[in-house]
Amino acid sequence: MYVEKNDQEFRARLKDDKGTFLEDGVACVNVENRSIEFKNDFVPLYPIGTPLQIARLYEQREIHIFTGKVYISDKNLLRLVSVNDTVVPGSEDVYACPVSIGASLTLASPKIEPPPRKFFLFRNNKDTQPVKQTFDITIHSICSTQLRFHAEPGVPINEEFYMTMNTDPIFKDIPVVVTRVLEFGNTVKCQGVIGSIDFSEKEPFQEWIKQLNSTGNQFFKNPI
């Protein structure tokens, strides 16, 4: 499992400006107003202007830190404004970044299927038909362990593929096992797990993912 930047609400931890734990709850970001709201059955009350922190959680890990000043303080809700944020290094294994990247998946093991059944006892083995081997996809979110993507119809589930990503640099032979396929007419939404990467691609791919996580998952690029 992993979480995505654009989840509407997420598990969060309220802390003082020195990082001391105050309360757990849920939070949501308002990019337009450069604010973040924290909600819980009980929220400590603080004067307007008090500097506080809100950490996004994955299980009990802090993966994204928001700092700001109190604008609204109520027993069930607290809003910080003038928010800055930092993605926690090392969170790229569980924190998926929204992207739009063209790629292709090629079956790791070639598949052959028999021809349509004929009404005679013997058939020529040359009649066997190759199954489609390569599928064009568009990746919509990715972390170092998993990805979500749209694909053309016919992607088989629980099969291993090698993925080529149209990035700069281009990454090839990234092993992916498709774990979920949802088809809605011509729209196919898929989820996959990224396997152990060949050593020649591992380091540059990991560096690319780290950079993507650090900048792509950040909400507010210009600190105030």
Side-chain angles (χ1 to χ4, degrees):
M1 293 295 293
Y2 64 92
V3 295
E4 296 183 329
K5 174 185 178 180
N6 293 328
D7 293 337
Q8 288 190 336
E9 282 192 340
F10 49 83
R11 293 184 58 245
R13 177 166 293 156
L14 180 65
K15 305 191 292 182
D16 67 17
D17 61 338
K18 295 180 175 58
T20 303
F21 169 81
L22 297 173
E23 192 61 60
D24 281 343
V26 296
C28 60
V29 176
N30 187 318
V31 176
E32 199 173 308
N33 295 330
R34 199 166 183 138
S35 65
I36 182 170
E37 289 187 353
F38 177 87
K39 303 175 185 176
N40 197 21
D41 292 336
F42 169 77
V43 177
L45 299 177
Y46 285 91
I48 292 176
T50 303
L52 293 175
Q53 298 181 20
I54 295 173
R56 179 170 184 171
L57 301 178
Y58 174 82
E59 296 179 348
Q60 292 302 311
R61 287 173 58 184
E62 296 183 0
I63 61 173
H64 201 151
I65 306 296
F66 301 84
T67 60
K69 295 181 179 180
V70 175
Y71 181 72
I72 295 176
S73 183
D74 183 79
K75 63 180 181 179
N76 301 121
L77 180 145
L78 183 140
R79 181 183 297 167
L80 303 183
V81 295
S82 302
V83 171
N84 293 315
D85 67 316
T86 304
V87 179
V88 177
S91 61
E92 61 273 0
D93 61 327
V94 296
Y95 199 7
C97 183
V99 295
S100 181
I101 298 173
S104 62
L105 294 176
T106 301
L107 276 166
S109 301
K111 305 290 181 181
I112 299 292
E113 65 181 15
R117 193 166 183 177
K118 299 179 180 179
F119 295 100
F120 48 80
L121 296 178
F122 302 102
R123 72 163 60 109
N124 190 334
N125 287 335
K126 292 182 181 179
D127 289 339
T128 55
Q129 301 171 352
V131 176
K132 186 175 176 67
Q133 305 292 309
T134 301
F135 299 86
D136 292 327
I137 68 171
T138 302
I139 302 169
H140 291 291
S141 69
I142 187 169
C143 62
S144 66
T145 57
Q146 298 180 66
L147 73 161
R148 287 183 181 173
F149 56 93
H150 286 175
E152 53 188 312
V155 175
I157 195 170
N158 296 327
E159 293 284 355
E160 184 176 12
F161 294 84
Y162 290 120
M163 179 171 67
T164 297
M165 299 172 61
N166 301 330
T167 49
D168 185 14
I170 293 174
F171 295 111
K172 298 180 180 180
D173 299 329
I174 306 296
V176 171
V177 175
V178 176
T179 57
R180 190 178 185 188
V181 175
L182 296 174
E183 295 196 20
F184 304 93
N186 291 327
T187 301
V188 184
K189 297 181 178 181
C190 305
Q191 186 168 328
V193 174
I194 298 174
S196 179
I197 299 170
D198 180 80
F199 184 79
S200 64
E201 295 282 357
K202 184 174 183 178
E203 186 171 339
F205 179 76
Q206 288 181 336
E207 287 302 315
W208 178 81
I209 283 283
K210 287 178 182 178
Q211 182 65 26
L212 181 69
N213 182 49
S214 175
T215 58
N217 277 333
Q218 189 177 27
F219 285 92
F220 309 110
K221 310 296 184 184
N222 302 312
I224 57 174

